Every structure is written in structure tokens, then in C-alpha cells.
Amino acid sequence: MTDMEAQTTNRHQSQEPEVPAIIKKANRPVTLKFEDVVYKIKTQKGVFESTGKKSKTEEKMILKGITGVVSPGEMLAMLGPSGSGKTTLLTALGGQLNGHIGGTISYNGEPFSSPMKRNTGFVTQDDVLYPHLTVTETLVFTALLRLPNSLTKEEKVMHAEEVITQLGLTRCKNSIIGGPFMRGISGGERKRVSIGQEMLINPSLLFLDEPTSGLDSTTAQRIVSTLWELAEGGRTVVMTIHQPSSRLFYMFHKVLLLSDGNPLYFGKGAGAMDYFSSIGYTPSVAMNPSDFLLDLANGVSSDENEEDRVAVKQALISAYKSNLADKLKSEVNEMSNHLPDGTSHKQFGRWCTTWGQQFSVLLQRGLKERKHESFSGLKIGQVLVVGFLSGLLWWQSSAHLQDQIGLLFFYSGFWGFFPLFQAIFTFPQERLMITKERSSGMYRLSAYFMARSVGDLPMELVLPTIFVIITYWMGGLKPSAGNFLETLFVLLLSVMVSQGMGLALGAMVMNLKSATTLGSVIMLSFLLASGFYVQHVPAFIAWIKYISISHYTYKLLLESQFKPSDTYQCSPNATCLIGEYPAVKLVGLDQKVISIVALFLMLVGFRVIAYFALMRIGASR
């Protein structure tokens, strides 16, 4: 009995749960071929000369002519030391590598395309998961987004439950994922959740980057056994793996050994030791085959000194070119005549679900994930404290016009900064998740963007409303329903505009420190030019107020409280028109419609900018 047969027998004799029907059969087979794959990057290198330091561009070759073929029903493992190019090659084969790739990569004889995303699963080495969702919620939301509409909602939920059982996640199904500062499930369970997300879509082509990294041998065995079952169902499985145990090694149908971007071996896993023995490399003691192959990839041989590592690597590269390269290319060319029938993209739908379904699911998921952040006691407490403090400082200031104007300006300032900085963090924090889900074709960017924007609205509007309710009456502003509602409307409109600017800055910069600094500079410029601090602004810089959120907000807040015909006590025996008060006259109490239109244009414009900035994330994948 061969090692592979023994592994299969042991699995069937064990009490592991039966593989769910959804992952037993592939939708359609995919043959993966790659010929002479080359990948180069340009790096900057400092050069010191007598004139100082200069930057020199160098070209570094990461992949150096990799060839291979993986058929449906096969599992390929790519081995090699760190920096050998395993992950780069996996990313290239998975259609997720930016830049120019030399050589040819084909899927059933065709190049990678957007519809192929629907049929491809990609599990990254780092688990990208929402920390506040439970295991069940994570997989159910994925199922609702990625499974086709030919299945009912109940069937999609059932498939998620089946995958939970198959991967041994039943014990922690109701536990949250957790994160760096939040206790959740273990690292091995997180990895199985990531694999489960890809198993849900029943992919014909599955890529995994270090799926057993950080796992104990028993958990690693279970995961690789599951992947072997997936391959047996007609799938093409490709993975990188650093140092598998011997029993895992013999489960791989094919093995690719890399060293510094060069192929040293491609062929059956069971035949690797015989090949290297035939060219004069055998282990001096009985050892794990993967350990021996990694030693060779590092240039370490039992009969060589450490100084001869380069020579060993060159000898292995030459042996590969002499013994395997031509034979492998012939095999790849021969496979072109035996591709699976019906490779037309017509069988691949662009989207699994409608726009409305995507929006609904993403909105539900977002509300569940962010309810702890949005309704955090710290954020609510901050607004309440500032609100009551402001109310006490401006207590019944109706008799003092300048104080009331100052309160209205504080409204525009505080509620310009607060939503701005809340929104700046939105997209940079979710960049990895957007990249992962967009690259798999899970949903339309427009559905995600709208769900994210709508999901943030409740708390974004509730907090300023509470703030106005507290400070409006304590500050002694006009006690009429009309004035109050107009003030509230202006402030909420300003909050949404500031939030839009924060979204745009975060999406464009995608660096929290840089985006926060840029946002501070812009908002401070808007405040300085809004007409409260400086009443005689030089003409050459006065144009800033026409693009200032604070200027239009401050102007509308003044108009919500005062009319040009209103009067105030300008001296003990005289009253004057509020419209002639210097601080008010500079801003003006007219052109209300223009100010509202300007804010609405900003409201839409900033979000359009944010949307187009997000399009570059995952768009090329």
C-alpha cells in the first residue's frame, strides 16, 4: 500500500465528519498552466559619491522562468526558504500580482479574467477577518454574498453551517473572531475560518498561502486532509508551505521546489527523493523529505561545506535544466490538447447576487461589526461632556450678541473636526478587507460604499443632535421650534459634508498619519478663513472662504438665529441692526440658498472623490 493510499484509508477509518455536498464536486474543472514565468521589480539603491548620495534604480528578478502544470484533482505544494519567491508566484498564479509578469499563465487555455474571480478562492497568509463578528456570522455573511441566487437564503446559511462542521469549528461557532486587543478564537481557528470562507464558494481553483502556518501538527493534518478531499472533488489546489511534516509531504500530488526564484524540482511529491538521489544528493540520515529539500534549496548538502552553498545551488539549477525542464515543457504543451471542454466564460456570472442584496448584507454586516465602536461609551461621553461644558460656558448668553456668535462659530468648528477625524479612519482601517473581498469579486464597490456610508449615518447624526439639544437651550439661543430645527438642519448638513471630506482624504491618502495631518491643515485653513477670527482678510487669500465648509456653516448658523432687521442693544440708550454688527456684516445674512447649494455640492463631491479613490483598490485584480 502506498503512502497516499494509507492516508486515504486512515481518513475514512477515522470519525471525522463527512465532507458537505457543496464541496464534494467542483462546478467545473480548471487546468492551470504556467510557462517561463518571470517577474522583475525595480528597487532604489543609494550610491555614495564625492558629490553626495544619489539614488540608483536597479532591476531585481524575483521569479526566473518557472514552468509547471496542475490539473483538476491535483494538489501542488510550493516549497522553498524565505525569500525564494513562493508567495510571489502564488500571487501571480492567483491573478493578484500587480506589475508586468513575463511568460504565460493560463486557465483552461485562457488568461485570467474578472469572471474567473467567481471560480477562484485565495487564502492569504495573514487572516483578514472582522474582529467583532462571530465565526458563524463571518461565514454566513460570506455565504450570502458569494453563493449564487440559485440557492435560497436558508440554503446558504446551511452551507455555512456545514463548512463549520467540516473544519471542526463547532465548538467556537458562537465566539467572536477577536483581534490584537480583544480576546477571541485561537490562531488555528482563525486560519480555518479563512479557509472556510473560500470553501463556501465551491471554487474549482484554490490558492493558499501558508495554510498551516502557526498551527500544531494535528490541526495542520486536518486542514491538509480537507484540502486533499477538495482536490479529489475535481479541484485544482495550489499552496505554499514552509516545512510540512513527512505525512503531509506525501499527500501532495506535485511539489515545486524554489531557491532564489529558480526552480529546482517540479514533479510528483513521492518522486522528489528519488530524483535528487539520481543526481547525487541523498540525506546522510533518515529525515523528513521537506527538511532535506529545504536544505538543498539553501545550498546545504551532507557532503558540502557551508562555503560551497552557492556551488550547490548552481549545480541543482543546472541539473533541473538538464533533466526536468524540457520534459516539463513537453508535458505542458501536451496538456493544451486535453483541456476540459466548455471553457467559455458564459458559465461564469459576473456577480453572484444583485446590487440590492449586496447592499443589504453589507449594511447588516457593517452595523454588527461597528456597533461597538459607533456606540462606544467613550465617544458618547466625549460629546456629552463637551456639550454640557459648552452649555455652562455660554449659559443664557442671549443678552450678549458676541457670545452668541461665538457659540455658533464653536458649533461649526467642533462639528467640522469631530466627524472629519472619525471618517478619516474608515477606509485605511479596512484597506486589507476591501482588497481581499474586491479581488475575489465578492461585491460591487458601489454597494460597499453606499452600505458603509449609510451604516455610519445613525451615530453620525444622533450625536450632533444630542449636542444641539443640550447646548441650544442652555446657551439661550432663540427658543422657537423653527429656529431650533433650522440650526439643527444646518449642523447635520455640515457634519455630513465634513464626514465626506474625511472619507475622501482617507481614501486618497490611505495613511492614517498623513491623512490626519492633511485633514487638520485643511480644516484649520477653513476655520481661519470663515470670517470669525480675521475680519480684514487680504484679497489674495480671501478666496479660501468660497471652498470653506466652516464659512458656509457659520453663515447659515447666523442666518438661522438672526435676520438683517433684528436689533440688539448697542449702547445703554440705543439699539442697532444686527446686520450692521461688524462680525455679522462681514459674513452677511443673505445668500442663504447659495450657501446651502454649496454645502450640498460638497456633500456629493467629496463622496464622489472618495468613491473614485477607492476604485484603485482591487480594481486591477
Side-chain angles (χ1 to χ4, degrees):
M1 181 180 290
T2 65
D3 292 310
M4 181 62 73
E5 290 170 342
Q7 291 288 345
T8 307
T9 302
N10 290 337
R11 273 191 302 277
H12 287 300
Q13 290 176 348
S14 68
Q15 297 301 313
E16 290 184 10
E18 184 181 357
V19 182
I22 190 173
I23 62 173
K24 278 186 176 178
K25 297 179 181 179
N27 286 328
R28 55 181 294 100
V30 174
T31 298
L32 171 64
K33 295 195 308 175
F34 44 101
E35 303 177 63
D36 296 320
V37 176
V38 175
Y39 183 66
K40 302 176 182 178
I41 60 173
K42 292 184 178 180
T43 59
Q44 298 291 329
K45 185 176 181 181
V47 180
F48 289 93
E49 297 179 353
S50 58
T51 55
K53 183 179 179 180
K54 294 184 178 180
S55 180
K56 181 181 179 182
T57 302
E58 290 188 347
E59 193 172 64
K60 182 179 180 181
M61 187 174 291
I62 305 299
L63 300 176
K64 304 172 183 177
I66 315 294
T67 299
V69 60
V70 195
S71 302
E74 292 183 336
M75 181 165 58
L76 168 66
M78 296 191 288
L79 281 73
S82 299
S84 61
K86 303 188 303 294
T87 299
T88 301
L89 178 58
L90 185 80
T91 308
L93 297 179
Q96 299 194 20
L97 185 63
N98 291 324
H100 178 70
I101 304 172
T104 304
I105 303 175
S106 63
Y107 311 79
N108 285 350
E110 300 178 357
F112 190 83
S113 59
S114 294
M116 182 62 73
K117 293 178 184 179
R118 275 275 316 276
N119 210 36
T120 301
F122 197 104
V123 180
T124 58
Q125 182 175 356
D126 298 322
D127 304 311
V128 183
L129 301 166
Y130 283 116
H132 290 98
L133 298 182
T134 65
V135 170
T136 299
E137 288 171 344
T138 298
L139 291 173
V140 166
F141 282 128
T142 303
L144 294 175
L145 287 169
R146 301 190 71 177
L147 292 179
N149 276 338
S150 57
L151 300 174
T152 64
K153 181 179 180 180
E154 291 72 21
E155 288 174 327
K156 293 180 180 182
V157 174
M158 181 187 67
H159 289 319
E161 294 284 353
E162 288 175 340
V163 170
I164 288 173
T165 302
Q166 169 64 16
L167 292 178
L169 295 168
T170 305
R171 184 179 60 86
C172 62
K173 62 184 295 185
N174 295 319
S175 301
I176 63 171
I177 300 296
F181 307 104
M182 187 188 317
R183 187 180 181 124
I185 59 178
S186 68
E189 289 166 339
R190 287 170 61 90
K191 178 61 66 178
R192 280 180 277 166
V193 172
S194 296
I195 294 175
Q197 286 184 304
E198 303 305 320
M199 287 171 58
L200 276 169
I201 65 169
N202 190 23
S204 293
L205 188 58
L206 181 60
F207 297 95
L208 305 102
D209 190 10
E210 301 281 0
T212 61
S213 176
L215 305 182
D216 60 84
S217 59
T218 302
T219 305
Q221 167 74 13
R222 182 164 193 169
I223 286 178
V224 176
S225 295
T226 302
L227 297 174
W228 191 89
E229 295 282 1
L230 286 169
E232 285 293 292
R235 287 163 194 79
T236 305
V237 180
V238 182
M239 73 175 76
T240 64
I241 192 164
H242 184 64
Q243 205 162 5
S245 64
S246 56
R247 63 175 179 171
L248 293 186
F249 181 84
Y250 285 111
M251 294 178 67
F252 303 136
H253 299 92
K254 290 181 177 178
V255 169
L256 170 62
L257 180 63
L258 295 174
S259 175
D260 298 328
N262 294 290
L264 302 184
Y265 175 78
F266 185 92
K268 295 182 178 179
M273 298 298 286
D274 292 337
Y275 166 74
F276 286 108
S277 177
S278 69
I279 60 174
Y281 293 92
T282 56
S284 57
V285 295
M287 61 188 302
N288 181 351
S290 64
D291 291 340
F292 178 64
L293 296 185
L294 286 174
D295 283 346
L296 292 178
N298 281 306
V300 177
S301 178
S302 59
D303 57 351
E304 299 287 345
N305 296 322
E306 187 173 349
E307 291 78 9
D308 298 324
R309 288 186 177 186
V310 176
V312 171
K313 290 182 181 180
Q314 290 300 322
L316 291 171
I317 294 171
S318 299
Y320 172 85
K321 293 179 179 178
S322 302
N323 300 301
L324 296 177
D326 293 338
K327 179 181 177 182
L328 186 55
K329 288 185 179 181
S330 298
E331 181 184 348
V332 171
N333 292 330
E334 184 180 350
M335 286 297 298
S336 301
N337 301 322
H338 302 283
L339 291 175
D341 294 332
T343 59
S344 173
H345 285 167
K346 293 180 181 179
Q347 299 192 27
F348 297 103
R350 181 65 182 93
W351 304 106
C352 294
T353 51
T354 65
W355 190 94
Q357 289 173 317
Q358 293 171 10
F359 171 80
S360 176
V361 174
L362 290 169
L363 180 60
Q364 292 178 54
R365 187 181 72 173
L367 290 175
K368 276 185 174 290
E369 166 59 24
R370 294 190 299 278
K371 65 182 178 182
H372 307 281
E373 177 185 346
S374 298
F375 295 93
S376 68
L378 184 63
K379 184 185 293 187
I380 296 173
Q382 178 183 357
V383 171
L384 290 177
V385 169
V386 174
F388 279 109
L389 181 60
S390 302
L392 293 173
L393 287 172
W394 273 282
W395 179 262
Q396 299 301 315
S397 61
S398 57
H400 306 282
L401 180 59
Q402 183 60 40
D403 287 349
Q404 284 198 316
I405 294 174
L407 176 59
L408 296 175
F409 181 76
F410 178 74
Y411 275 12
S412 67
F414 180 74
W415 289 106
F417 274 101
F418 191 85
L420 171 71
F421 288 122
Q422 295 293 325
I424 277 179
F425 286 79
T426 300
F427 296 127
Q429 287 181 332
E430 292 206 350
R431 180 174 185 171
L432 293 177
M433 184 65 73
I434 299 172
T435 302
K436 170 190 170 183
E437 296 182 337
R438 284 271 291 151
S439 64
S440 65
M442 186 182 292
Y443 47 71
R444 297 168 177 84
L445 179 61
S446 57
Y448 166 80
F449 187 82
M450 289 300 298
R452 193 67 171 87
S453 300
V454 173
D456 287 338
L457 281 181
M459 207 56 186
E460 291 292 341
L461 299 182
V462 167
L463 286 179
T465 300
I466 295 174
F467 183 87
V468 172
I469 291 174
I470 294 172
T471 57
Y472 191 91
W473 309 109
M474 293 180 69
L477 297 176
K478 283 191 175 180
S480 69
N483 293 108
F484 171 78
L485 292 176
E486 187 176 348
T487 301
L488 179 61
F489 168 77
V490 171
L491 191 62
L492 293 181
L493 177 59
S494 170
V495 165
M496 293 179 66
V497 175
S498 297
Q499 181 197 36
M501 188 172 80
L503 293 174
L505 290 175
M508 288 190 298
V509 179
M510 277 296 173
N511 180 285
L512 289 178
K513 184 179 292 187
S514 300
T516 302
T517 302
L518 182 59
S520 299
V521 171
I522 293 175
M523 188 55 71
L524 284 172
S525 301
F526 286 171
L527 284 174
L528 292 174
S530 60
F532 181 81
Y533 291 119
V534 184
Q535 296 186 13
H536 303 286
V537 181
F540 65 86
I541 201 172
W543 58 269
I544 294 179
K545 70 178 183 182
Y546 296 112
I547 60 171
S548 169
I549 301 172
S550 303
H551 170 73
Y552 292 114
T553 302
Y554 175 46
K555 182 180 179 67
L556 288 173
L557 286 173
L558 288 176
E559 292 174 354
S560 72
Q561 292 295 309
F562 310 116
K563 296 180 180 178
S565 58
D566 289 345
T567 60
Y568 71 99
Q569 195 77 25
C570 56
S571 65
N573 300 317
T575 59
C576 303
L577 292 175
I578 286 181
E580 296 299 321
Y581 187 76
V584 176
K585 184 177 182 181
L586 177 68
V587 178
L589 295 176
D590 55 351
Q591 298 181 333
K592 178 184 293 188
V593 175
I594 293 177
S595 299
I596 294 175
V597 170
L599 287 179
F600 270 107
L601 289 176
M602 292 181 186
L603 175 69
V604 176
F606 284 134
R607 282 168 169 76
V608 170
I609 292 172
Y611 179 79
F612 281 104
L614 282 181
M615 287 183 67
R616 71 181 190 272
I617 302 179
S620 60
R621 289 166 165 78

